[in-house]
Short mmCIF file of all heavy atoms in Angstrom, two decimals:
data_model
loop_
_atom_site.label_atom_id
_atom_site.label_comp_id
_atom_site.label_asym_id
_atom_site.label_seq_id
_atom_site.Cartn_x
_atom_site.Cartn_y
_atom_site.Cartn_z
N TYR A 72 7.57 -8.32 1.57
CA TYR A 72 6.95 -9.30 2.49
C TYR A 72 5.53 -9.57 1.97
O TYR A 72 4.78 -8.78 1.50
CB TYR A 72 6.73 -8.55 3.83
CG TYR A 72 8.09 -8.08 4.43
CD1 TYR A 72 8.54 -6.78 4.10
CD2 TYR A 72 8.91 -8.82 5.12
CE1 TYR A 72 9.77 -6.28 4.50
CE2 TYR A 72 10.15 -8.34 5.62
CZ TYR A 72 10.51 -7.10 5.31
OH TYR A 72 11.76 -6.64 5.86
N PRO A 73 5.17 -10.85 2.27
CA PRO A 73 3.82 -11.21 1.70
C PRO A 73 2.77 -10.82 2.73
O PRO A 73 1.48 -10.77 2.36
CB PRO A 73 3.87 -12.84 1.78
CG PRO A 73 5.01 -13.16 2.76
CD PRO A 73 5.96 -11.99 2.74
N GLU A 74 3.18 -10.41 3.95
CA GLU A 74 2.16 -9.96 4.89
C GLU A 74 2.55 -8.53 5.42
O GLU A 74 3.64 -8.22 5.51
CB GLU A 74 2.11 -10.93 6.11
CG GLU A 74 1.55 -12.30 5.62
CD GLU A 74 1.30 -13.19 6.78
OE1 GLU A 74 1.57 -12.87 7.97
OE2 GLU A 74 0.75 -14.34 6.56
N TYR A 75 1.52 -7.82 5.86
CA TYR A 75 1.69 -6.45 6.33
C TYR A 75 2.61 -6.40 7.54
O TYR A 75 3.47 -5.53 7.62
CB TYR A 75 0.34 -5.87 6.66
CG TYR A 75 0.38 -4.56 7.40
CD1 TYR A 75 0.75 -3.42 6.76
CD2 TYR A 75 0.10 -4.52 8.75
CE1 TYR A 75 0.89 -2.22 7.33
CE2 TYR A 75 0.24 -3.27 9.42
CZ TYR A 75 0.49 -2.12 8.73
OH TYR A 75 0.59 -0.92 9.40
N LYS A 76 2.57 -7.38 8.52
CA LYS A 76 3.25 -7.34 9.69
C LYS A 76 4.87 -7.29 9.48
O LYS A 76 5.51 -6.50 10.10
CB LYS A 76 2.97 -8.49 10.61
CG LYS A 76 3.66 -8.43 11.92
CD LYS A 76 3.44 -9.67 12.84
CE LYS A 76 4.02 -9.59 14.16
NZ LYS A 76 5.43 -9.12 14.27
N GLY A 77 5.27 -8.04 8.48
CA GLY A 77 6.68 -8.03 8.15
C GLY A 77 7.26 -6.64 7.61
O GLY A 77 8.27 -6.04 8.10
N ALA A 78 6.41 -5.94 6.83
CA ALA A 78 6.76 -4.61 6.35
C ALA A 78 6.70 -3.64 7.46
O ALA A 78 7.40 -2.71 7.61
CB ALA A 78 5.91 -4.32 5.14
N ARG A 79 5.58 -3.78 8.32
CA ARG A 79 5.38 -2.86 9.40
C ARG A 79 6.63 -3.02 10.34
O ARG A 79 7.21 -1.88 10.85
CB ARG A 79 4.16 -3.18 10.23
CG ARG A 79 3.70 -2.23 11.28
CD ARG A 79 4.31 -2.29 12.66
NE ARG A 79 4.64 -3.58 13.12
CZ ARG A 79 4.06 -4.18 14.09
NH1 ARG A 79 3.03 -3.69 14.70
NH2 ARG A 79 4.38 -5.49 14.50
N ASP A 80 7.10 -4.16 10.63
CA ASP A 80 8.27 -4.34 11.47
C ASP A 80 9.53 -3.75 10.90
O ASP A 80 10.26 -3.15 11.58
CB ASP A 80 8.51 -5.79 11.80
CG ASP A 80 7.40 -6.47 12.72
OD1 ASP A 80 6.57 -5.73 13.28
OD2 ASP A 80 7.34 -7.74 12.81
N LYS A 81 9.68 -3.91 9.57
CA LYS A 81 10.75 -3.36 8.86
C LYS A 81 10.75 -1.77 8.95
O LYS A 81 11.74 -1.13 9.31
CB LYS A 81 10.83 -3.79 7.43
CG LYS A 81 12.02 -3.28 6.57
CD LYS A 81 13.32 -3.81 7.29
CE LYS A 81 14.46 -3.52 6.37
NZ LYS A 81 15.71 -4.06 6.96
N ARG A 82 9.57 -1.20 8.77
CA ARG A 82 9.42 0.19 8.92
C ARG A 82 9.78 0.73 10.20
O ARG A 82 10.51 1.67 10.31
CB ARG A 82 7.87 0.59 8.65
CG ARG A 82 7.67 2.11 8.77
CD ARG A 82 6.15 2.44 9.04
NE ARG A 82 5.76 1.96 10.35
CZ ARG A 82 4.46 1.67 10.65
NH1 ARG A 82 3.61 1.73 9.82
NH2 ARG A 82 4.25 1.22 11.89
N GLU A 83 9.41 0.03 11.30
CA GLU A 83 9.68 0.40 12.66
C GLU A 83 11.24 0.34 12.88
O GLU A 83 11.83 1.15 13.53
CB GLU A 83 8.98 -0.45 13.69
CG GLU A 83 7.49 -0.26 13.66
CD GLU A 83 7.16 1.24 14.03
OE1 GLU A 83 7.60 1.83 15.01
OE2 GLU A 83 6.38 1.79 13.26
N ASN A 84 11.87 -0.67 12.26
CA ASN A 84 13.27 -0.96 12.39
C ASN A 84 14.08 0.26 11.77
O ASN A 84 15.15 0.56 12.21
CB ASN A 84 13.66 -2.25 11.74
CG ASN A 84 15.14 -2.55 11.86
OD1 ASN A 84 15.96 -2.23 11.06
ND2 ASN A 84 15.33 -3.33 12.95
N VAL A 85 13.65 0.85 10.63
CA VAL A 85 14.35 1.92 9.95
C VAL A 85 13.89 3.33 10.30
O VAL A 85 14.47 4.27 9.88
CB VAL A 85 14.33 1.73 8.42
CG1 VAL A 85 14.91 0.47 7.99
CG2 VAL A 85 12.93 1.99 7.84
N LYS A 86 12.91 3.42 11.18
CA LYS A 86 12.39 4.82 11.54
C LYS A 86 13.47 5.71 12.10
O LYS A 86 13.42 6.86 12.02
CB LYS A 86 11.19 4.65 12.43
CG LYS A 86 9.85 4.75 11.70
CD LYS A 86 8.76 5.04 12.59
CE LYS A 86 7.49 5.34 11.70
NZ LYS A 86 6.31 5.55 12.49
N GLY A 87 14.41 5.07 12.85
CA GLY A 87 15.43 5.93 13.40
C GLY A 87 16.37 6.63 12.37
O GLY A 87 16.92 7.64 12.49
N LYS A 88 16.46 5.95 11.26
CA LYS A 88 17.22 6.46 10.06
C LYS A 88 16.43 7.29 9.08
O LYS A 88 16.78 8.24 8.53
CB LYS A 88 17.87 5.29 9.28
CG LYS A 88 18.80 4.48 10.06
CD LYS A 88 19.27 3.24 9.25
CE LYS A 88 20.26 2.38 10.14
NZ LYS A 88 20.69 1.28 9.31
N VAL A 89 15.11 6.82 8.88
CA VAL A 89 14.23 7.33 7.89
C VAL A 89 12.88 7.67 8.64
O VAL A 89 12.02 6.76 8.67
CB VAL A 89 14.04 6.57 6.71
CG1 VAL A 89 13.17 7.18 5.60
CG2 VAL A 89 15.31 5.95 6.10
N SER A 90 12.81 8.85 9.23
CA SER A 90 11.62 9.16 10.03
C SER A 90 10.30 9.12 9.18
O SER A 90 9.20 8.79 9.73
CB SER A 90 11.67 10.59 10.63
OG SER A 90 11.79 11.56 9.62
N GLY A 91 10.30 9.33 7.85
CA GLY A 91 9.11 9.33 7.04
C GLY A 91 8.82 8.02 6.39
O GLY A 91 7.94 7.94 5.53
N ALA A 92 9.50 6.91 6.74
CA ALA A 92 9.22 5.70 6.15
C ALA A 92 7.88 5.13 6.29
O ALA A 92 7.35 5.36 7.43
CB ALA A 92 10.31 4.69 6.70
N PHE A 93 7.29 4.52 5.29
CA PHE A 93 5.94 3.95 5.55
C PHE A 93 5.82 2.70 4.62
O PHE A 93 6.56 2.47 3.76
CB PHE A 93 4.86 4.96 5.17
CG PHE A 93 4.92 5.44 3.69
CD1 PHE A 93 4.09 4.91 2.77
CD2 PHE A 93 5.72 6.61 3.31
CE1 PHE A 93 4.12 5.27 1.47
CE2 PHE A 93 5.70 7.05 2.02
CZ PHE A 93 4.89 6.40 1.13
N VAL A 94 4.78 1.97 5.01
CA VAL A 94 4.45 0.62 4.29
C VAL A 94 3.63 1.07 3.06
O VAL A 94 2.75 1.81 3.10
CB VAL A 94 3.69 -0.26 5.15
CG1 VAL A 94 3.28 -1.48 4.33
CG2 VAL A 94 4.51 -0.70 6.37
N THR A 95 3.99 0.36 2.01
CA THR A 95 3.31 0.48 0.74
C THR A 95 3.14 -1.01 0.23
O THR A 95 3.73 -1.99 0.65
CB THR A 95 4.10 1.33 -0.34
OG1 THR A 95 3.15 1.44 -1.51
CG2 THR A 95 5.42 0.73 -0.69
N VAL A 96 2.18 -1.20 -0.67
CA VAL A 96 1.97 -2.55 -1.18
C VAL A 96 1.52 -2.50 -2.71
O VAL A 96 1.09 -1.66 -3.14
CB VAL A 96 0.81 -3.19 -0.32
CG1 VAL A 96 -0.47 -2.46 -0.48
CG2 VAL A 96 0.57 -4.63 -0.69
N TYR A 97 2.00 -3.64 -3.25
CA TYR A 97 1.69 -3.87 -4.63
C TYR A 97 0.92 -5.14 -4.73
O TYR A 97 1.21 -6.08 -4.09
CB TYR A 97 3.05 -3.96 -5.53
CG TYR A 97 3.72 -2.64 -5.55
CD1 TYR A 97 4.44 -2.24 -4.45
CD2 TYR A 97 3.70 -1.91 -6.72
CE1 TYR A 97 5.14 -1.00 -4.53
CE2 TYR A 97 4.37 -0.69 -6.85
CZ TYR A 97 5.08 -0.28 -5.64
OH TYR A 97 5.74 0.91 -5.80
N ASN A 98 -0.12 -5.16 -5.64
CA ASN A 98 -0.97 -6.38 -5.93
C ASN A 98 -0.68 -6.70 -7.36
O ASN A 98 -1.06 -5.94 -8.27
CB ASN A 98 -2.44 -6.02 -5.67
CG ASN A 98 -3.25 -7.32 -5.85
OD1 ASN A 98 -2.70 -8.44 -5.90
ND2 ASN A 98 -4.50 -7.09 -6.02
N ASN A 99 -0.10 -7.88 -7.62
CA ASN A 99 0.24 -8.30 -8.95
C ASN A 99 0.95 -7.13 -9.75
O ASN A 99 0.68 -6.90 -10.81
CB ASN A 99 -1.06 -8.69 -9.78
CG ASN A 99 -1.74 -9.91 -9.14
OD1 ASN A 99 -0.96 -10.88 -8.81
ND2 ASN A 99 -2.99 -9.89 -8.96
N GLY A 100 1.88 -6.55 -8.98
CA GLY A 100 2.72 -5.45 -9.64
C GLY A 100 2.10 -4.07 -9.69
O GLY A 100 2.81 -3.04 -10.07
N LYS A 101 0.83 -3.95 -9.29
CA LYS A 101 0.08 -2.63 -9.35
C LYS A 101 0.00 -2.05 -7.85
O LYS A 101 -0.37 -2.75 -6.99
CB LYS A 101 -1.23 -2.80 -9.95
CG LYS A 101 -2.15 -1.51 -9.95
CD LYS A 101 -3.50 -1.74 -10.55
CE LYS A 101 -4.20 -0.45 -10.57
NZ LYS A 101 -5.12 -0.32 -9.59
N ARG A 102 0.39 -0.75 -7.78
CA ARG A 102 0.33 -0.15 -6.44
C ARG A 102 -1.04 0.06 -5.95
O ARG A 102 -1.80 0.55 -6.76
CB ARG A 102 1.10 1.17 -6.52
CG ARG A 102 1.39 1.60 -5.00
CD ARG A 102 2.45 2.76 -5.19
NE ARG A 102 2.59 3.41 -3.91
CZ ARG A 102 3.76 3.87 -3.36
NH1 ARG A 102 4.82 3.66 -4.13
NH2 ARG A 102 3.77 4.44 -2.28
N ILE A 103 -1.42 -0.47 -4.74
CA ILE A 103 -2.68 -0.25 -4.17
C ILE A 103 -2.48 0.27 -2.81
O ILE A 103 -1.36 0.28 -2.18
CB ILE A 103 -3.57 -1.55 -4.17
CG1 ILE A 103 -2.89 -2.64 -3.25
CG2 ILE A 103 -3.82 -2.03 -5.56
CD1 ILE A 103 -3.77 -3.78 -2.99
N THR A 104 -3.53 0.68 -2.11
CA THR A 104 -3.41 1.21 -0.68
C THR A 104 -3.24 -0.07 0.18
O THR A 104 -3.66 -1.17 -0.04
CB THR A 104 -4.64 1.97 -0.33
OG1 THR A 104 -5.77 1.14 -0.21
CG2 THR A 104 -4.83 3.14 -1.24
#
Side-chain angles (χ1 to χ4, degrees):
Y72 306 90
E74 294 188 359
Y75 172 70
K76 184 181 182 317
R79 188 281 320 253
D80 291 348
K81 183 64 172 178
R82 179 200 68 204
E83 291 302 306
N84 184 272
V85 299
K86 267 198 166 175
K88 298 176 183 180
V89 186
S90 62
F93 63 93
V94 174
T95 187
V96 62
Y97 292 77
N98 182 20
N99 295 315
K101 180 180 179 262
R102 192 166 172 140
I103 63 172
T104 68

